[in-house]
Amino acid sequence: MAINRLETQGRKRKKTSNMAALFRALRAGRALRGLGSGLAAPAAKPPCVSLKTGFHRTAFILQDESKSSKHSDQDLTAGTTLKDSISNPDAEESSRPNTSYQDQTDEDGEQYESEEQLQARILGAALEFVPQHGWTIEAIATGAETLGLSSASTGMFYNGAGDLVLHFVAQCNSQLAEILAEQHKQVQLGQAEPKKTADFLRDAVETRLRMHIPYIETWPQAMSILLLPHNIPEALKHLSTLVDDIWYHAGDRSTDMNWYRKRAALTGIFNTTELVMLQDSSPDFQDTWLFLDNRIQDAVNMATSVEQVQSTGEAVVQGLMGAALTLKNLTGMNQRR
Amino acid sequence: MQIFAYVSLQRALPVIVRQGAKRRAFPWSSRWYSVVPPPRDSKEKEMLHRILRVDHAGEYGASRIYAGQMAVLGRSSTGPLIQEMWDQEKKHLEKFNEILAECRVRPTALLPLWNVAGFLLGASTALLGKEGAMACTVAVEESISEHYNSQIRTLMEQDPERYTELLKVIKEFRDDELEHHDTGLEHDAESVPGYWLLKNAIQIGCKGAIYVSQRV
C-alpha cells in the first residue's frame, strides 16, 4: 500500500514537474513576446519608450507569473490561475499576432486593458491608503496589492508619489468639470436659477477644495510633491485647465487680455484659499470659505473700480476737450477765414 | 388688423430670438451648428487652436492697422474707402471672436502688442500719404492671403470633409483680403517712393507676427 502511495505520489510529482516545466516555458514565451512587442515598436511611440515599457511589462508579467506559478505548483487546477493572469495583460496593441493557444480564447479586445488604464486603476486603489501611508510609493504598493497585483508593479510609476498626486488632481478636476456641466444642464432645463458670477466662482472653488478634505492631513506633503521641479509643468497644466473650466462654465467668453486677467485672478484666489485651508481648524472649514468669499469680493471690487476709473477718465477727457473748444471760440481762434 | 399683427410678429421674431440668444451666456446651446468640428485628439486640437489663434490675431492686427490709417487719413478723400475696408475687417474679427469663444481657444497673449504695433504701422504709413497707406494695405493683405492659403492647404491635406465649414469661412475671408489687396493696387499703391522696401519690410514683420502668434 505504501509502495502504491509512493508510486502515485511519484507519478503526481512527475505530473507537477511536467506541468511546472510547461508553465515555465510558457512564462518564458510570454516574457519574450512582451519584449518582442516592445522591440517591434509601433510607429506612434518612440522606440526607447516602448522598449522601456516592453521591459517593464515583461518584468511585471514575470513578477506576476512568479506569484501565480507559486500557486500553480501546489494546485493542479492551475489552468484557471494562468488564464486569469493572461486575461489581464497590459497589452496596448491588440493587433499583436496571437500565437499562444491561451490568447485565442479572448476574442473581444475589451479583455485587454491598456497600461494607462491599469495605472489609473492602481492609483485609484492607492488613494485609499494615503491617509495611512501618505503620498508615497508604499500607498501605491498597498493599492496594487488590494487589486491582486504584485507590489513590484510600482516600478511602472517612474514618478512615484508624483504620479499619485497628479492622478488625484486630474481626477478632482474632471469631477468638478462634470459637476459644473451638470449644473449648467439644470439651468438650461430651467430647473435651477443661473447664479451670479461671484457666487458661481465661490461655489465652484469651494466644491473643488472640498475634494481635498479626506486628505487634508497629508495635503501639505502632496503640495510639496507638486512643487518639485519635474512635477511643476504638469501641475501648472492641471491648474490652468481647472481655472479655464471654471471660468468657461461661469460664462466667460472673452477673447482679449481679459481672458488672461480673469484666469490669473482666479488662480491667485484658488491657490491662496488652498493654503488657508491647510491651516484651518474651524468646524467644516468655515474660516476658509469666509476667506474665499472675501477674496472674490475683493476681485469684484477691483473690477468695478477699474471700470469706474476708466469711465471717469473718459468723462474728464471729454470735459477738457469741451473746455479747450470753448476757449478757442472765446479767443476767436476757431473762426474760418 | 390680423395681417398687421402677423407682419409685426414676423419683424419682431428675429429680434426676439437674437435678444434671447444674447441674454443667454452659454454658447454651446445657442447654436445648432458649429464651424469647427470638436477635435478628436490633442494633436488635432493643437493644430486647430493654432490656426484659430493666429487668424484671430491677424484680423485684430488688420483692424488696428486700418484704425491707424483712419486716424490720419480719415478726413481725406480716401477716408470712405479705408472705412469700408475697416468695416469688413471688423466683421471678420467678430466672426473669429465667436469661433474662439465657442472652441475655448486661448487668444494670443501678444494682443496688446499687436494693438499698438498695428495702429503705429497704419498711422505711420498713412503719414506717407494715400499711396503709403495703400502700399501698407497691399503688403499686409498679401501676407494674410498667403497665410490663409497655406492654412487651407493644411486643412485640405488633413481632411476636407471634416473641415468644410471652417474651410468655407477661411476661403471667404481670404477672398475678402485679396479684394482689399486689389483695391490697394488700384489706388496707386505702387507709386509710393520705396515701395519695394516698404512692402518687403512689412511682409517680414507680418511673417514674424504670424509665427509668434501661433505659439504664444
Side-chain angles (χ1 to χ4, degrees):
Chain A
M1 267 250 280
I3 302 172
N4 284 343
R5 217 186 303 145
L6 276 174
E7 272 182 13
T8 49
Q9 273 181 9
R11 246 178 271 136
K12 265 197 198 154
R13 225 174 283 134
K14 216 181 172 183
K15 244 196 235 171
T16 39
S17 66
N18 283 341
M19 292 286 275
L22 179 64
F23 289 148
R24 254 173 278 150
L26 283 169
R27 213 191 317 152
R30 289 198 63 222
L32 281 175
R33 216 165 354 112
L35 196 56
S37 72
L39 286 173
K45 274 198 190 169
C48 53
V49 173
S50 52
L51 191 62
K52 255 194 248 173
T53 55
F55 270 125
H56 277 272
R57 220 180 294 148
T58 46
F60 177 63
I61 291 169
L62 280 170
Q63 295 276 12
D64 194 38
E65 289 190 83
S66 70
K67 215 171 60 117
S68 63
S69 68
K70 256 185 264 161
H71 299 302
S72 70
D73 277 345
Q74 293 148 12
D75 182 2
L76 278 179
T77 58
T80 47
T81 335
L82 201 56
K83 219 184 257 181
D84 281 346
S85 65
I86 283 178
S87 69
N88 277 354
D90 37 348
E92 281 168 60
E93 46 280 357
S94 49
S95 56
R96 257 185 322 162
N98 287 337
T99 48
S100 155
Y101 71 93
Q102 274 102 348
D103 287 24
Q104 286 167 7
T105 57
D106 293 325
E107 271 161 346
D108 53 341
E110 289 171 24
Q111 286 275 3
Y112 295 94
E113 68 176 343
S114 71
E115 188 168 329
E116 282 88 25
Q117 285 173 336
L118 180 65
Q119 285 187 351
R121 264 202 319 148
I122 296 179
L123 292 176
L127 284 176
E128 262 182 68
F129 301 97
V130 163
Q132 190 187 350
H133 294 290
W135 301 88
T136 53
I137 297 271
E138 281 83 48
I140 305 180
T142 325
E145 273 165 12
T146 56
L147 290 179
L149 302 166
S150 152
S151 64
S153 55
T154 57
M156 259 201 295
F157 301 102
Y158 306 117
N159 205 0
D163 274 335
L164 184 57
V165 181
L166 290 168
H167 171 260
F168 174 67
V169 169
Q171 189 184 300
C172 288
N173 289 351
S174 47
Q175 272 177 12
L176 181 71
E178 274 174 29
I179 292 173
L180 292 178
E182 183 60 40
Q183 277 181 8
H184 165 71
K185 212 164 57 147
Q186 295 287 315
V187 170
Q188 284 287 292
L189 293 174
Q191 289 169 4
E193 285 298 311
K195 295 189 223 174
K196 287 174 53 181
T197 311
D199 294 334
F200 184 93
L201 294 178
R202 197 213 21 213
D203 289 340
V205 174
E206 185 180 329
T207 315
R208 176 61 179 80
L209 285 176
R210 276 190 185 275
M211 297 181 196
H212 291 173
I213 291 182
Y215 308 98
I216 197 70
E217 303 291 319
T218 47
W219 195 247
Q221 183 192 12
M223 285 183 77
S224 62
I225 290 175
L226 285 178
L227 282 174
L228 291 173
H230 54 267
N231 286 332
I232 285 183
E234 209 170 322
L236 284 179
K237 219 163 28 129
H238 285 306
L239 183 61
S240 61
T241 40
L242 169 72
V243 168
D244 186 40
D245 273 339
I246 296 180
W247 264 121
Y248 181 67
H249 286 94
D252 173 48
R253 299 288 175 269
S254 50
T255 49
D256 52 3
M257 282 321 277
N258 279 328
W259 192 96
Y260 290 91
R261 282 189 207 116
K262 287 182 175 179
R263 278 150 186 78
L266 188 57
T267 310
I269 294 175
F270 182 83
N271 283 337
T272 46
T273 315
E274 197 181 1
L275 286 172
V276 163
M277 196 171 161
L278 292 180
Q279 304 163 329
D280 191 6
S281 49
S282 59
D284 194 35
F285 300 93
Q286 288 299 325
D287 289 347
T288 310
W289 313 136
L290 198 60
F291 177 86
L292 175 62
D293 251 336
N294 289 339
R295 293 295 75 70
I296 291 191
Q297 211 45 54
D298 284 346
V300 166
N301 289 345
M302 179 88 70
T304 44
S305 51
V306 161
E307 268 180 54
Q308 280 175 356
V309 162
Q310 260 185 346
S311 59
T312 313
E314 278 169 21
V316 162
V317 162
Q318 278 186 359
L320 283 174
M321 300 284 274
L325 188 63
T326 314
L327 262 178
K328 270 173 76 176
N329 286 338
L330 283 176
T331 54
M333 275 167 32
N334 219 17
Q335 290 174 15
R336 222 178 298 168
R337 270 181 231 241
Chain B
M1 181 57 183
Q2 281 171 334
I3 297 171
F4 175 75
Y6 176 68
V7 166
S8 57
L9 187 62
Q10 283 269 348
R11 286 231 188 90
L13 206 52
V15 178
I16 295 172
V17 168
R18 232 181 298 133
Q19 279 181 349
K22 253 190 246 162
R23 227 173 278 134
R24 282 185 295 174
F26 309 106
W28 68 83
S29 53
S30 62
R31 55 176 76 247
W32 52 91
Y33 72 94
S34 178
V35 172
V36 182
R40 280 181 290 220
D41 54 27
S42 65
K43 230 175 52 160
E44 186 185 354
K45 181 170 159 207
E46 184 63 35
M47 178 199 77
L48 283 174
H49 281 209
R50 276 194 178 175
I51 287 179
L52 295 171
R53 188 175 310 136
V54 74
D55 286 349
H56 175 255
E59 296 298 343
Y60 182 76
S63 185
R64 295 307 297 156
I65 290 176
Y66 283 122
Q69 289 185 347
M70 276 304 283
V72 175
L73 292 173
R75 269 170 245 155
S76 74
S77 54
T78 29
L81 177 65
I82 301 178
Q83 181 67 47
E84 189 194 317
M85 295 199 281
W86 190 15
D87 290 337
Q88 275 187 322
E89 298 294 348
K90 282 192 215 168
K91 265 202 344 235
H92 291 184
L93 182 61
E94 225 179 86
K95 180 74 182 167
F96 274 121
N97 276 337
E98 273 176 33
I99 298 181
L100 248 71
E102 198 184 310
C103 302
R104 300 178 62 170
V105 180
R106 172 182 67 87
T108 172
L110 298 169
L111 281 178
L113 179 61
W114 304 145
N115 185 359
V116 173
F119 191 88
L120 283 179
L121 177 65
S124 54
T125 48
L127 285 173
L128 295 173
K130 167 191 152 205
E131 293 81 15
M134 291 299 137
C136 173
T137 305
V138 164
V140 170
E141 300 295 4
E142 196 177 305
S143 288
I144 289 191
S145 328
E146 247 179 67
H147 175 62
Y148 276 151
N149 276 335
S150 70
Q151 282 185 348
I152 292 172
R153 268 193 290 273
T154 313
L155 290 174
M156 296 283 267
E157 272 165 24
Q158 295 259 324
D159 192 348
E161 274 111 41
R162 191 167 154 76
Y163 303 119
T164 18
E165 284 295 325
L166 180 60
L167 278 170
K168 207 166 75 169
V169 167
I170 297 183
K171 281 181 191 165
E172 186 191 323
F173 289 3
R174 182 219 35 206
D175 294 339
D176 286 341
E177 309 292 1
L178 279 175
E179 204 188 298
H180 292 175
H181 172 262
D182 295 338
T183 310
L185 282 177
E186 274 169 35
H187 285 82
D188 310 322
E190 284 160 335
S191 60
V192 72
Y195 172 72
W196 183 89
L197 193 65
L198 184 65
K199 179 163 175 261
N200 280 306
I202 294 176
Q203 287 191 329
I204 290 173
C206 284
K207 284 206 181 69
I210 288 172
Y211 179 85
V212 175
S213 293
Q214 274 175 337
R215 285 158 181 83
V216 175

